[in-house]
Amino acid sequence: MSAEPGTVRPGGRTARVRAAVLRAAGDVLAEQGFAHLDLADVARRAEVGKTTVYRRWGSVTGLVADLLDDMAEQSLPRAETGSVREDLRANAHLVQRTLADARQGALFRAVIAAATCDARTAESLRRFYEVRVAEWAPCVERGVERGELPVGTDAATVVRAVSAPLYYALLTTGTAPEPADADRAADAALAAARAEAYVVG
Amino acid sequence: MSAEPGTVRPGGRTARVRAAVLRAAGDVLAEQGFAHLDLADVARRAEVGKTTVYRRWGSVTGLVADLLDDMAEQSLPRAETGSVREDLRANAHLVQRTLADARQGALFRAVIAAATCDARTAESLRRFYEVRVAEWAPCVERGVERGELPVGTDAATVVRAVSAPLYYALLTTGTAPEPADADRAADAALAAARAEAYVVG
């Protein structure tokens, strides 16, 4: 098992097996894409019995669903800087670092590609983003309460607006976002929010 | 050959063969995705000799590249309403209709997915968006000249900002955009541009 920071987690054998299998599944997705994901191969890489992997995850889509659940659980909590501008910039930089990272960026591209042709993966991916948006939405809500943003601003739409240009560039033109793109994404979302572009009702 | 508006184009036999083959390729991509695209199957659907298809396009990625070139050539010209707000809204509604259309939306998702694992498709897709962004950028440039937007505004970034939330919702949560989303995307990009979020240099 890898001792890389963030990959060693508490728990007994069951938790260690899960961590090893999900790590191996992420590696295969990042290196070769969804089409090459194979439970026997993942078991071999994770040094876990094939029967265990088949019994516990059942299928490739079951494994990807669990990987996305784990990514949602493991991802970093929201910033709380006291300023909506700084919180949104922190969010943008987190997304930027993730998409620009070789392994993570490839992993996200693979899962997004898989979701276009597999309903169960699409559902897991949708849930992953719901969890992440819900984690960061309070930054916008606190900003409204502090009077930094108009009353009625839809928090989830603002959070999604920060991510959108970073993902769009990666997926349509293969351009990994840079830190300056993250600042621009956050500042643009903030400016639009201040101009009431995300006020609902 | 289909007589659907926009699919009958001038030209002799060569142009007719190309139109029929690209139509069939688009159908397969929209219905089954990139993984199932097969030149022999496309030839059969297009009622064109298999040898012709192999000789002219050579490979699946060559065929997708030509399809994307054709989509760039065939897509609608920019609006010229005299108002940057209305032009950006027209652009947003064009993107929204495309992504919400069953065939076109599935086709774009298939090609974007394919681009994540095939370098030649990625290059064709990048070129497609470059052509589309360049077509619409003058709307923003005219807006700057008319004093509707700050001097130094990067036109391409504004055009991409309009599309980004519509693609992002489709690709991460499987949500086809609605007309209200198009208005919001255009208005948010405009508000951010007015606040100098897209000024460069």
Side-chain angles (χ1 to χ4, degrees), chain B residues 61 102 128 140:
Chain B
T61 54
F128 170 82
V140 177

Side-chain angles (χ1 to χ4, degrees), chain B residues 47-149:
Chain B
E47 298 178 23
V48 166
K50 214 161 65 171
T51 320
T52 304
V53 174
Y54 278 96
R55 198 187 315 116
R56 179 141 175 207
W57 286 278
S59 65
V60 161
T61 54
L63 182 55
V64 172
D66 195 36
L67 176 64
L68 283 163
D69 286 349
D70 185 64
M71 283 162 65
E73 287 159 22
Q74 298 295 317
S75 37
L76 292 170
R78 66 175 164 274
E80 290 185 3
T81 64
S83 146
V84 69
R85 179 195 183 88
E86 294 312 315
D87 285 357
L88 292 181
R89 281 192 169 212
N91 177 258
H93 281 275
L94 177 59
V95 172
Q96 182 268 322
R97 282 195 306 275
T98 302
L99 298 183
D101 177 78
R103 181 179 187 276
Q104 293 268 91
L107 178 54
F108 272 94
R109 294 177 84 191
V111 179
I112 289 168
T116 67
C117 50
D118 179 79
R120 188 163 170 197
T121 303
E123 176 55 30
S124 304
L125 190 67
R126 197 184 59 70
R127 228 177 25 238
F128 170 82
Y129 286 104
E130 266 180 14
V131 169
R132 294 307 295 154
V133 167
E135 170 65 25
W136 284 84
C139 298
V140 177
E141 291 159 4
R142 296 300 92 77
V144 172
E145 287 164 14
R146 287 189 301 259
E148 297 175 281
L149 291 174

Side-chain angles (χ1 to χ4, degrees), chain A residues 113 116 167-168 172 184 188 191 197-198, chain B residues 113 116 129 167-168 184 188 195 197-198:
Chain A
T116 67
Y167 276 85
Y168 177 73
T172 61
R184 189 180 309 110
Y198 304 126
Chain B
T116 67
Y129 286 104
Y167 276 85
Y168 176 73
R184 189 181 308 112
Y198 304 125

Side-chain angles (χ1 to χ4, degrees), chain A residues 68-84:
Chain A
L68 283 162
D69 286 348
D70 185 64
M71 285 162 65
E73 286 159 24
Q74 298 295 319
S75 37
L76 292 171
R78 66 176 165 274
E80 289 185 4
T81 64
S83 145
V84 70

Side-chain angles (χ1 to χ4, degrees), chain A residues 32-33 109-110 112-117 122 125-126 129-130 133 157 159-161 163-168 171-175 184 187-189 191-192 195 197-200, chain B residues 32-33 109-110 112-117 122 125-126 129-130 133 157 159-161 163-168 171-175 184 187-189 191-192 195 197-200:
Chain A
Q32 304 172 34
R109 295 176 82 190
I112 288 168
T116 67
C117 51
L125 191 67
R126 198 184 59 70
Y129 286 104
E130 265 180 14
V133 168
T157 304
V159 174
R160 283 191 291 258
S163 282
L166 307 174
Y167 276 85
Y168 177 73
L171 292 166
T172 61
T173 64
T175 314
R184 189 180 309 110
D187 293 354
Y198 304 126
V199 169
V200 289
Chain B
Q32 301 172 35
R109 294 177 84 191
I112 289 168
T116 67
C117 50
L125 190 67
R126 197 184 59 70
Y129 286 104
E130 266 180 14
V133 167
T157 304
V159 174
R160 284 191 290 258
S163 282
L166 306 174
Y167 276 85
Y168 176 73
L171 292 166
T172 62
T173 63
T175 314
R184 189 181 308 112
D187 293 355
Y198 304 125
V199 169
V200 289

